[in-house]
Amino acid sequence: MQHIVLATGSRRCYLRGSKPHMACSLRTPTPLRLPSPFDRHGSKGRRSLRVTAVAAPELGTTVAGAEAAGGDSGKYQSSDFAAAFTSQPKEYEYWITEIEGQVPESLRGTLFRNGPGRFERGDQKYAHVLDGDGYVTSFSFSQEGKVHFRSAYVRTSDLEKEAAADAVLYRSAFGTAPNKRSGILSALGLPNAFDTYLKNPANTNVVLWGDKLFALYEAGQPWQMDPYTLKTHPGPDNLGDFLAADSAPTNPLASLWAQAAGNGKADGQGPPTALGKPMGKGRSDRQSKGKPAQPGKACTAHPHVVHGEGMSDRLAVYSSNVQAKLGGLEVVIDVGEFDEQWQRVAGQQFSMQNTLFVPHDFAVSESYYIFFYSDTTFELVQFLLGRQGLAQCLNMTDGPMKIYLVPRNGDKPIVIDNVEPCFLIHFANAYEEGDEVVVQAIGWGPEIVRDLAAMQGSGVFGTFSKGDYNKVPVTSLWSHRINVKTGKVKRECLFGDQRNDHPRVNPSFYSKPTRYVYVNACMPEDGNVANPPQAFTRVDVQTGETQAWFPGIRCFCEELVFVPGPKAATQETDGFLLGMVYDAARHKSFLAFPAASWT
């Protein structure tokens, strides 16, 4: 089995020059030594992996305690995990010279990543790591086996304005807000009241489709970047007419506010315009001379590449927009399938009634787009008064779940109601067997949902930005088998012994039955506690057997990406797995490439 490791972190990756597939990661650029094999835990099915390393740039600011965190050598330290979230103030371009091992001949193309890279502005720290500014990196593998590294921030207009002011100017989804010190509202202790505009950090994903590279954020519009230089294009981009006729608010409340006030707000473009001041078409920072702008649409950060008999590959993307109707609120979801020229060739629109909740991810089977809706409430007053961020105002209930099966051929959606609640976050795969649709995804099961329903505010998201991952509820890999004729749903836990997340399958097998799902997971002895991910794990969904690689007690694993090999279309394990690992002992990161065959 061959493996490789590259350095430099960020949150999501994409491979250029092969079939695209997304993944997440930590976010620290850095090099590393050869990790020790996973031999501490001999549970059934685990095998050791060997990994080689490639150097990458040093981190910027060193976190106190990152060099030596004491305590039990068999348990991770919160200070180690917190040290991973250190701002990277620099951008880089160079050929990597420190390579241990041989780059596989079949590994050619460019790996793109995106994730939070800056966690403070001026003297103010961001309230949550997920408010960090998007930082894209690329690893280009040449025909000679050489590797070129490049990195750059997604230079949205919000980032440029905050950089010029060296201060936080805008509210963010996870609680970061400006420290305003003037005005009547500030004197009343409500400095950010009625400011519903949210910054678009463009930090959640990066997707290369056709010849266009986009940095994505699920509550806003994408920003296009040059795939060769990583230079940010003027934007944001509305993907033609798919994302908004006039403007796209970066959050549902801005949409409703715009409807009520009769004005629009720019998406990732800076502060909202004055009441009644119209915005123009095209890019959302342009002024128009006509009618007030209508609320626009935000783009998912989780597109999926879909396949089918007799058709070329397509990128499935969905937009969302919250609208106020006489009967209440509704979320309008518009799914589009795009060819590599970014022409929409299929899709369908549908609505979720009486909700503000927009799903984080979705799945696509041969015949359906699949959305799971979990019952939630929103503390609107707290958000409007500026006391809490959008995410902190979202609370769960133990009400029933709905499953939307939206036919890809345009037929009427099937809604499965009164399903025992769970909260699915990231989807691995969906496929069909007879009258049943099988969905594999990671999230919180019914018992945890009931516990979360009793919590308020930020309990759903915990405080892992400070390294305290224990307050993040344990997530597990689930299967939902949905009978489209009877409406019956069978739920099964596929992997719940350890906290796990960010599932991936061979993308050539997406929408088809698969045997293996690849995840990151916490340590086995901490299975009932949501500790940070410290192992890469392969789950055999047929036998329940797991195999994992553990890089070290002071190392933390992000999510994997599956790079298909030349026979991946027929051999499920043909390919490479790419995953970032942060090593707190060296305050550096590396990128591991274990073979998907896991032998």
Side-chain angles (χ1 to χ4, degrees):
M1 174 175 64
Q2 291 186 340
H3 311 282
I4 290 189
V5 175
L6 296 169
T8 267
S10 222
R11 269 200 84 217
R12 293 198 178 262
C13 39
Y14 224 88
L15 187 69
R16 179 187 173 99
S18 181
K19 300 302 182 184
H21 15 271
M22 279 72 72
C24 276
S25 74
L26 297 175
R27 39 110 260 105
T28 40
T30 51
L32 193 83
R33 46 111 168 99
L34 180 68
S36 58
F38 178 41
D39 54 11
R40 288 180 64 236
H41 304 280
S43 58
K44 180 181 178 182
R46 288 198 182 87
R47 303 178 187 176
S48 299
L49 296 179
R50 291 174 295 114
V51 185
T52 59
V54 178
E58 294 282 348
L59 281 174
T61 307
T62 300
V63 175
E67 296 303 323
D72 181 1
S73 60
K75 299 282 289 185
Y76 90 97
Q77 303 296 309
S78 292
S79 57
D80 278 353
F81 185 60
F85 301 102
T86 304
S87 291
Q88 174 55 272
K90 298 179 180 179
E91 298 175 336
Y92 295 88
E93 179 190 356
Y94 61 89
W95 287 97
I96 296 175
T97 58
E98 297 181 38
I99 299 179
E100 185 172 334
Q102 187 74 28
V103 176
E105 293 183 1
S106 60
L107 192 61
R108 297 294 182 263
T110 299
L111 172 73
F112 293 99
R113 298 187 164 285
N114 181 19
R118 179 184 294 276
F119 305 97
E120 68 281 320
R121 182 64 73 180
D123 60 358
Q124 183 179 349
K125 291 185 177 181
Y126 294 167
H128 199 288
V129 297
L130 297 183
D131 286 338
D133 299 310
Y135 186 76
V136 173
T137 61
S138 67
F139 297 90
S140 296
F141 299 85
S142 72
Q143 294 297 325
E144 297 78 24
K146 297 180 180 180
V147 185
H148 183 270
F149 176 79
R150 189 189 302 269
S151 64
Y153 276 96
V154 187
R155 297 200 171 276
T156 68
S157 48
D158 283 355
L159 181 143
E160 296 283 23
K161 292 173 183 177
E162 289 192 331
D166 195 26
V168 173
L169 301 180
Y170 312 112
R171 295 179 68 181
S172 295
F174 286 85
T176 303
N179 290 327
K180 300 176 183 177
R181 296 183 175 86
S182 60
I184 296 176
L185 291 175
S186 294
L188 295 174
L190 300 171
N192 294 294
F194 310 115
D195 179 6
T196 61
Y197 174 78
L198 295 182
K199 174 182 174 180
N200 179 349
N203 67 4
T204 311
N205 200 351
V206 59
V207 57
L208 179 77
W209 190 242
D211 59 355
K212 294 184 178 181
L213 179 72
F214 288 106
L216 304 176
Y217 176 63
E218 67 180 285
Q221 291 186 332
W223 285 78
Q224 187 176 354
M225 303 181 76
D226 188 296
Y228 299 99
T229 67
L230 297 187
K231 179 180 179 180
T232 304
H233 291 205
D237 196 292
N238 61 19
L239 305 183
D241 60 355
F242 179 66
L243 286 180
D246 298 304
S247 68
T250 59
N251 66 87
L253 281 307
S255 176
L256 296 177
W257 191 262
Q259 291 181 68
N263 74 294
K265 294 179 184 291
D267 184 358
Q269 287 300 123
T273 58
L275 290 178
K277 201 169 188 178
M279 301 284 293
K281 293 187 177 182
R283 288 216 325 268
S284 53
D285 56 335
R286 297 175 181 170
Q287 298 289 330
S288 80
K289 299 179 181 180
K291 64 181 181 180
Q294 298 298 313
K297 304 173 183 178
C299 183
T300 178
H302 292 278
H304 292 275
V305 177
V306 296
H307 325 280
E309 291 288 340
M311 74 176 198
S312 59
D313 289 351
R314 301 170 178 179
L315 188 70
V317 183
Y318 69 88
S319 67
S320 60
N321 186 27
V322 178
Q323 296 185 359
K325 301 290 186 179
L326 292 177
L329 302 176
E330 69 176 19
V331 174
V332 179
I333 302 290
D334 189 10
V335 186
E337 296 184 26
F338 292 86
D339 63 19
E340 293 196 30
Q341 287 71 48
W342 281 97
Q343 297 298 310
R344 185 175 180 175
V345 293
Q348 183 174 184
Q349 185 178 106
F350 72 102
S351 298
M352 296 180 175
Q353 305 297 324
N354 301 316
T355 183
L356 279 169
F357 174 76
V358 177
H360 178 69
D361 197 359
F362 76 132
V364 185
S365 70
E366 182 180 356
S367 304
Y368 300 98
Y369 312 115
I370 305 145
F371 292 81
F372 282 64
Y373 166 73
S374 299
D375 194 44
T376 56
T377 62
F378 187 80
E379 298 180 16
L380 179 60
V381 173
Q382 294 298 315
F383 179 80
L384 292 178
L385 292 179
R387 290 174 173 167
Q388 290 184 320
L390 186 72
Q392 283 76 19
C393 293
L394 182 68
N395 295 308
M396 290 192 188
T397 78
D398 57 0
M401 180 175 66
K402 291 182 180 181
I403 302 174
Y404 291 82
L405 300 172
V406 183
R408 293 173 65 183
N409 64 5
D411 288 349
K412 183 179 179 180
I414 300 170
V415 182
I416 311 296
D417 207 344
N418 295 317
V419 181
E420 183 182 23
C422 69
F423 192 97
L424 299 182
I425 305 170
H426 295 119
F427 289 75
N429 194 16
Y431 59 90
E432 298 164 28
E433 290 183 340
D435 294 333
E436 295 182 324
V437 178
V438 181
V439 181
Q440 297 165 338
I442 284 179
W444 296 309
E447 183 177 347
I448 290 180
V449 168
R450 286 190 287 269
D451 292 340
L452 290 172
M455 301 172 67
Q456 296 294 320
S458 60
V460 171
F461 299 97
T463 56
F464 71 89
S465 58
K466 298 179 177 64
D468 186 3
Y469 212 94
N470 292 332
K471 293 185 178 179
V472 179
V474 175
T475 51
S476 302
L477 177 62
W478 300 90
S479 169
H480 285 79
R481 188 173 286 270
I482 308 158
N483 190 301
V484 297
K485 289 187 175 180
T486 66
K488 292 184 178 180
V489 179
K490 298 178 182 178
R491 177 184 292 130
E492 178 186 3
C493 185
L494 300 175
F495 182 42
D497 294 339
Q498 302 156 236
R499 173 264 170 213
N500 58 96
D501 199 2
H502 304 121
R504 287 293 177 265
V505 299
N506 177 343
S508 300
F509 277 70
Y510 190 76
S511 301
K512 302 176 182 178
T514 48
R515 178 172 181 175
Y516 299 109
V517 178
Y518 303 88
V519 301
N520 57 22
C522 72
M523 294 310 299
E525 64 267 32
D526 301 325
N528 61 346
V529 179
N531 285 339
Q534 292 191 277
F536 291 128
T537 302
R538 185 179 80 168
V539 181
D540 186 330
V541 299
Q542 293 182 9
T543 67
E545 182 181 83
T546 61
Q547 296 172 290
W549 171 66
F550 169 69
I553 197 60
R554 300 190 67 186
C555 294
F556 303 93
C557 301
E558 49 92 0
E559 68 182 74
L560 290 163
V561 59
F562 193 113
V563 183
K567 300 179 181 178
T570 57
Q571 297 181 15
E572 186 180 347
T573 59
D574 182 51
F576 289 90
L577 298 168
L578 288 66
M580 290 299 305
V581 179
Y582 170 69
D583 179 13
R586 293 171 59 92
H587 198 39
K588 299 177 185 296
S589 298
F590 65 92
L591 179 59
F593 290 66
S597 58
W598 216 270
T599 56

